[in-house]
Amino acid sequence: MGILSQDILDQLEKQAIELPSWAFGNSGTRFKVFGTPGTPRDPFEKISDAAQVHKYTGLAPTVALHIPWDMSNFSDLRKHAEDEGVELGTINSNTFQDDDYKFGALTHEDATIRTKAIDHHLACIDVMDETGSRDLKIWLAEGSNYPGQADMRGRQDRLQESLQKIYARLGDDQRLVLEYKFFEPSFYHTDVPDWGTSYAQVAALGDKALVCLDTGHHAPGTNIEFIVMQLLRLGKLGSFDFNSRFYADDDLIVGAADPFQLFRIIFEVVRGGGLNNPDVQFMLDQCHNVEDKIPGQMRSVLNVQEMTARALLVDTEKLRAAQVSGDVLAANQVFVDAFYTDVRPALAEWRESRGLAADPMAAFAASGYLDKVAADRVGGQQASWGA
Ligand code: LRH
Ligand code: MN
C-alpha cells in the first residue's frame, strides 16, 4: 500500500482505541455547557453514537463508562453494545461531584467519608463484573487550595490505605489504573499530581495496579514522551487518556493542538513495546464543547492512526546509526522525515481495501445519521457531566 509496508499495515490493523461515553454527551466549561440537537439522553444512545465511530473507522471497538453518569441495567447495556458491534470497556469512578468529598474522598481525614468513597469503588468493580470490563480507572480531584490547609503526608498514607482496600476486591483478570493530574479542581496541591506519585502509590499495591497517563494533565513544557518511555520501562503504563491542549486540561481532539507531540509520544510507545500491547490501553478522554461529537471522535481516532503510521515509518536502523555516531542533525532528520511523510493517501487506499470508506468523515456525514438522531431524540434530558 504505497509507503506503508505490510508489516506496518498489520500493526495498524490491530490498533484499538477506546472511546469515552461522556464525549457523546454535552460538555463545556464553568462558563457554559452548550446543548446540541440529537445529543444522547442515556447510556444506550451514547453507545449507539460510539458504534458509529467504529463502523466507519474500524478503530474503536470498546466504550468506557463513567459511574454514576452511565448507571443503567448493565446486562441490557452490554447486550445493546454487542448488537451495535462494540463492547463495554474501562469503568471510571467518580468522587468529584459529591458534597461529602469537598475536602477529600480516599484521602479524607474522616474514616466515614473514606469508607463511602471506598464503597463507591467497590460498587464500580461490581459493575465491571457485570459489563465484563477489565479496568477500573481512578482519577481523584482531591487536594487543597491554600498552603497549610491540608496535611499532605497524612493524605498520602490514607490514600494508600484506601487503595489497598479497593485493590483487594479486584478479580484475577481485573486491574486498576490511577490517573494523575497536576492541578484542577485543586489549585494548591493535588494528591496524585504527577506520574511519580501515581507510580509510588500503584507500585505499593501490586501487579494489577498501573498508571494512567492523560496527555492533558502535565505542566506546560513537560516532556510527556519521556514519561511514557519511563513508565513502559518500569512496566507500569496501564492506559492513556488521549486528548490535546493549548493551555490547561482543554480536552481537545488528540493531535489537534500539537500533532508533533502526539507523534513523539507514539514513537516512544512503539520503541517501548507498548503498541497493540494488551497491557497498554489506548483511550480518548475528550469533550467536544462546540464541534459535533461523533465526527470529533472520528477525527480523533484517525489522528492517532495517522501518527501511529508515521511513527512506524521511522527508519530505526538509520536513526540508531546516527544516534550511536553522535550525528545530531542526521538523527533528528531521520525522525522528522517520518513525521513529515503524508500517510493519508495510503491509509485511504488501505481502508478501501478493507471495505471501509476511504474518507470515514465524509461517509458518515453523507449517512444522514446526525439529522436522524436530531429528529428522533426529542424530549427527555440531554446527557452531560451534570457538574
Ligand atoms: C479528569 C479526567 C478524568 C475523567 C474526567 C472525565 O480531568 O481526565 O479522566 O474522569 O476527566
Ligand atoms: Mn482523563
Side-chain angles (χ1 to χ4, degrees):
M1 212 60 70
I3 53 178
L4 299 177
S5 67
Q6 193 50 50
D7 170 54
I8 289 179
L9 295 175
D10 292 347
Q11 295 189 60
L12 292 175
E13 180 115 26
K14 284 183 256 163
Q15 188 160 46
I17 303 159
E18 186 158 289
L19 305 182
S21 66
W22 54 98
F24 298 96
N26 291 329
S27 56
T29 70
R30 58 185 164 176
F31 301 106
K32 172 70 177 164
V33 172
F34 295 100
T36 312
T39 290
R41 284 108 19 120
D42 60 47
F44 290 81
E45 292 180 345
K46 292 178 189 176
I47 298 289
S48 298
D49 289 3
Q52 290 292 304
V53 178
H54 190 50
K55 176 180 174 187
Y56 286 91
T57 67
L59 266 173
T62 58
V63 186
L65 302 178
H66 220 296
I67 306 299
W69 298 341
D70 296 318
M71 277 311 280
S72 51
N73 175 313
F74 290 106
S75 55
D76 289 354
L77 190 64
R78 187 174 182 173
K79 174 87 179 50
H80 173 67
E82 280 150 19
D83 293 348
E84 293 273 7
V86 292
E87 288 182 12
L88 302 179
T90 304
I91 298 298
N92 289 258
S93 67
N94 180 337
T95 52
F96 52 88
Q97 293 183 312
D98 184 315
D99 288 338
D100 285 346
Y101 301 143
K102 188 174 182 179
F103 298 115
L106 299 180
T107 63
H108 202 289
E109 296 269 1
D110 180 335
T112 317
I113 303 289
R114 295 200 303 277
T115 300
K116 176 181 176 177
I118 292 165
D119 289 348
H120 166 65
H121 286 86
L122 302 184
C124 285
I125 299 173
D126 295 342
V127 171
M128 290 160 68
D129 294 342
E130 285 192 76
T131 58
S133 303
R134 174 191 65 179
D135 289 354
L136 170 66
K137 190 171 87 166
I138 303 177
W139 170 67
L140 302 170
E142 310 180 40
S144 66
N145 279 359
Y146 298 95
Q149 172 191 336
D151 167 26
M152 297 189 287
R153 170 63 180 270
R155 293 169 74 94
Q156 286 300 309
D157 298 337
R158 292 191 292 274
L159 173 58
Q160 180 60 206
E161 189 194 299
S162 299
L163 289 171
Q164 289 281 357
K165 293 193 175 120
I166 297 165
Y167 187 84
R169 166 69 181 77
L170 290 174
D172 294 344
D173 307 328
Q174 296 175 330
R175 311 184 312 168
L176 72 81
V177 291
L178 182 61
E179 183 177 357
Y180 59 89
K181 180 175 180 179
F182 79 115
F183 91 106
E184 190 201 43
S186 301
F187 295 108
Y188 168 60
H189 102 280
T190 292
D191 293 297
V192 187
D194 53 32
W195 75 272
T197 304
S198 177
Y199 178 79
Q201 288 285 347
V202 297
L205 294 172
D207 296 346
K208 294 188 289 184
L210 302 109
V211 177
C212 170
L213 186 154
D214 185 312
T215 51
H217 287 188
H218 304 82
T222 300
N223 185 326
I224 298 174
E225 57 270 26
F226 180 92
I227 299 171
V228 170
M229 173 280 294
Q230 191 70 282
L231 287 171
L232 283 168
R233 183 173 161 273
L234 294 165
K236 277 297 187 187
L237 180 60
S239 68
F240 278 99
D241 270 7
F242 278 118
N243 49 62
S244 73
R245 52 81 168 286
F246 289 105
Y247 304 105
D249 190 15
D250 308 351
D251 282 339
L252 298 173
I253 288 175
V254 59
D258 188 344
F260 188 41
Q261 181 188 59
L262 179 60
F263 170 82
R264 300 193 311 266
I265 287 171
I266 296 180
F267 176 82
E268 288 303 333
V269 170
V270 173
R271 168 84 181 74
L275 184 65
N276 300 330
N277 175 337
D279 297 341
V280 183
Q281 175 71 54
F282 273 31
M283 197 180 95
L284 302 180
D285 180 4
Q286 297 173 183
C287 300
H288 303 290
N289 299 347
V290 292
E291 71 272 26
D292 284 335
K293 303 166 194 311
I294 299 169
Q297 289 284 290
M298 233 171 251
R299 179 70 268 157
S300 305
V301 294
L302 294 170
N303 284 356
V304 173
Q305 182 181 64
E306 279 174 32
M307 284 308 153
T308 304
R310 293 169 197 241
L312 290 168
L313 277 175
V314 173
D315 183 333
T316 49
E317 248 170 71
K318 220 165 134 193
L319 181 67
R320 283 300 296 139
Q323 289 171 340
V324 171
S325 66
D327 190 336
V328 176
L329 290 177
N332 181 251
Q333 192 63 56
V334 171
F335 197 79
V336 296
D337 279 352
F339 174 66
Y340 285 124
T341 305
D342 190 353
V343 295
R344 293 172 292 183
L347 286 173
E349 197 186 331
W350 174 59
R351 286 188 200 104
E352 278 191 319
S353 73
R354 298 162 64 216
L356 289 167
D359 180 346
M361 304 282 286
F364 174 72
S367 74
Y369 182 89
L370 287 182
D371 297 338
K372 182 175 177 322
V373 291
D376 295 351
R377 295 174 182 170
V378 177
Q381 175 74 40
Q382 292 192 337
S384 89
W385 282 33

